[in-house]
Amino acid sequence: MYQWIRRGAAGMLAAAALLWGLNLWYGASLPDRYYVSQGEDLVLTQRAVVAVEESSDQQAVMSSTRPQNQTLSLFGIMPIKTVAVQECEDLTVIPSGEAFGVKMFSQGAVVVGFSPVVTAQGTVEPYSGCDIQEGDIICKVNQKEVSRNEEISYLIRQSGGEPLEITLQREDGEHTVTLTPALSSADGTYKSGLWIRDSAAGIGTITFINGETGTFAGLGHPITDPDTGTILPVESGEVCPVTIHSITKGAVGEPGELDGVFSSNIPMGNILVNNQCGVYGTLTGLDLDGVEPVELGYKQEVEAGPATILCALTDQEPQEYDIEICSVSMNGEDDTRNLVIKVTDPDLLDKTGGIVQGMSGTPILQNGKLVGAVTHVFVNDPTMGYGIFAETMMEYMEEIALETE
């Protein structure tokens, strides 16, 4: 009898420890804010987690402009945490899957490297001791705003060897340093020893279009400097049509690529913002007659299981291909890696080997809704990759709309 009591007590303690562990894990892994459609309750794909109102006198219908607090609880018994839930009108967008070209100039020039200057007195490093770092963005020289390599080079050449005040932008804010150019014995001009870049170009995929405003979201990750990884702030940018002429298949350790060229110098739109969750802008000359929009799925609706991606591998219309959503992380540190996906479609695997460069931004559809976009490929397994929630991209698009009104 005593042994049965001990075993029962041990079992209860183990169950309590398990419940407590689950409670802590859900508290850390679930986000603090959710959106729901009008008239809908918050329902999570984690069946063990139930959302309940904090008090019985709370309004049944939430305000579309003010979020309401709800408590997430484990099995409706053990409170996990309080979250903000905001009711919104149903959002519909047009999933694209079309490849597009990017031409972009940054607000300032990115420092991508350093090179000593050979002078008549020997080799010098004008940048030494100036606290200039790779990835810094030069935005002013002697209080004059600059955005092009040519502007900065001209001011350095015209310095006459006098110290220059250089204003830099980096993650922790703005910094001002003093650099004294050196006279190069090679060509008789003053040089800083800095290697800088002010533009970027490439190919990606448009994720979705707002048919009412003509705005679009694409890539799902930022355009960065290839040497430093710095996100390039947009001064001006164009969306250009491209022609995909071939596909380099992905293999283990060697990501594939959509090989294409810009097919016209006439832009089809403008890039307004480049941030950690994609590029956003406007498109012109859209013909959306007969194109059916789909609902945008909220992050709590996305679940592990079958899904599709929509992409154009040639100049034909985008096609749907089967994938599997392997896992969903709703509260990760990197918003561009909330989904782990695996390509399962034999046709797509035959054509590309899986996910290739240029497919960033490819729409992910599940249960008839746009739920995400492809962002990265696994280098060691091209059949797998990461994705971002479509909800996250829509949030950034709405912020841009408010800024441009």
Side-chain angles (χ1 to χ4, degrees):
M1 184 69 173
Y2 181 67
Q3 288 182 341
W4 284 105
I5 294 175
R6 288 181 60 187
R7 290 175 182 174
M12 292 176 64
L13 286 173
L18 177 61
L19 289 173
W20 184 250
L22 278 174
N23 188 285
L24 292 176
W25 185 81
Y26 279 128
S29 63
L30 294 176
D32 297 324
R33 186 183 184 91
Y34 294 87
Y35 297 94
V36 296
S37 299
Q38 285 185 344
E40 297 291 330
D41 295 325
L42 174 61
V43 178
L44 305 184
T45 54
Q46 294 82 3
R47 305 304 180 192
V49 181
V50 179
V52 295
E53 295 180 357
E54 283 205 329
S55 60
S56 58
D57 60 349
Q58 191 174 22
Q59 291 181 347
V61 179
M62 294 181 294
S63 165
S64 61
T65 59
R66 187 173 61 187
Q68 303 293 322
N69 289 336
Q70 292 193 21
T71 298
L72 300 183
S73 65
L74 191 61
F75 302 112
I77 300 172
M78 182 183 293
I80 298 173
K81 64 178 178 180
T82 299
V83 298
V85 182
Q86 183 168 335
E87 188 175 80
C88 301
E89 294 182 4
D90 287 339
L91 298 174
T92 59
V93 295
I94 298 171
S96 173
E98 293 277 3
F100 74 111
V102 174
K103 295 180 181 178
M104 196 177 79
F105 282 99
S106 63
Q107 293 175 334
V110 181
V111 178
V112 298
F114 306 91
S115 179
V117 179
V118 179
T119 71
Q121 291 74 39
T123 300
V124 299
E125 298 178 344
Y127 46 81
S128 180
C130 294
D131 187 29
I132 299 178
Q133 305 172 13
E134 286 190 2
D136 284 347
I137 298 172
I138 300 175
C139 51
K140 294 180 185 177
V141 176
N142 283 346
Q143 299 301 312
K144 174 181 172 57
E145 292 189 359
V146 292
S147 59
R148 298 286 185 273
N149 295 350
E150 292 80 5
E151 293 177 278
I152 298 170
S153 297
Y154 174 79
L155 293 171
I156 291 170
R157 290 197 302 271
Q158 296 298 310
S159 69
E162 294 296 317
L164 296 174
E165 184 181 88
I166 297 180
T167 303
L168 308 166
Q169 188 70 40
R170 64 176 66 136
E171 287 186 0
D172 61 351
E174 201 169 83
H175 297 258
T176 300
V177 302
T178 300
L179 181 147
T180 303
L183 184 63
S184 169
S185 58
D187 59 8
T189 64
Y190 286 96
K191 298 182 182 296
S192 66
L194 303 177
W195 289 93
I196 56 179
R197 183 183 288 117
D198 62 8
S199 61
I203 293 174
T205 300
I206 297 174
T207 306
F208 63 84
I209 301 166
N210 183 324
E212 295 181 1
T213 63
T215 53
F216 79 93
L219 287 187
H221 64 69
I223 297 173
T224 60
D225 179 83
D227 294 309
T228 66
T230 302
I231 297 177
L232 299 176
V234 178
E235 181 192 58
S236 63
E238 294 178 348
V239 179
C240 303
V242 297
T243 298
I244 305 300
H245 55 74
S246 63
I247 300 170
T248 302
K249 290 182 67 172
V252 175
E254 297 181 6
E257 185 175 8
L258 297 181
D259 303 311
V261 295
F262 290 19
S263 56
S264 172
N265 290 323
I266 301 175
M268 50 188 274
N270 297 305
I271 295 173
L272 303 178
V273 172
N274 171 43
N275 61 32
Q276 65 267 34
C277 292
V279 295
Y280 304 83
T282 58
L283 298 173
T284 56
L286 289 173
D287 182 9
L288 301 176
D289 289 343
V291 179
E292 289 294 328
V294 302
E295 285 188 40
L296 184 137
Y298 297 112
K299 56 180 175 283
Q300 68 270 14
E301 298 177 287
V302 188
E303 56 187 345
T308 60
I309 57 174
L310 181 67
C311 59
L313 302 178
T314 63
D315 293 332
Q316 298 176 352
E317 292 293 317
Q319 298 181 36
E320 282 192 69
Y321 297 94
D322 292 330
I323 66 166
E324 186 84 9
I325 296 178
C326 302
S327 65
V328 181
S329 173
M330 290 202 290
N331 207 18
E333 293 182 0
D334 185 345
D335 281 338
T336 68
R337 304 187 182 207
N338 292 121
L339 308 174
V340 173
I341 64 173
K342 182 177 180 66
V343 175
T344 58
D345 196 291
D347 188 26
L348 184 58
L349 290 170
D350 181 61
K351 292 176 179 177
T352 66
I355 299 166
V356 297
Q357 297 177 40
M359 287 174 64
S360 294
T362 298
I364 300 173
L365 299 145
Q366 188 178 58
N367 298 323
K369 296 184 179 183
L370 175 69
V371 298
V374 177
T375 57
H376 302 83
V377 59
F378 285 15
V379 175
N380 293 324
D381 185 354
T383 68
M384 299 188 69
Y386 289 111
I388 183 174
F389 289 127
E391 175 189 310
T392 303
M393 297 180 74
M394 177 58 81
E395 284 184 302
Y396 279 101
M397 178 178 275
E398 290 180 343
E399 288 180 13
I400 293 163
L402 291 174
E403 292 175 1
T404 55
E405 284 180 354

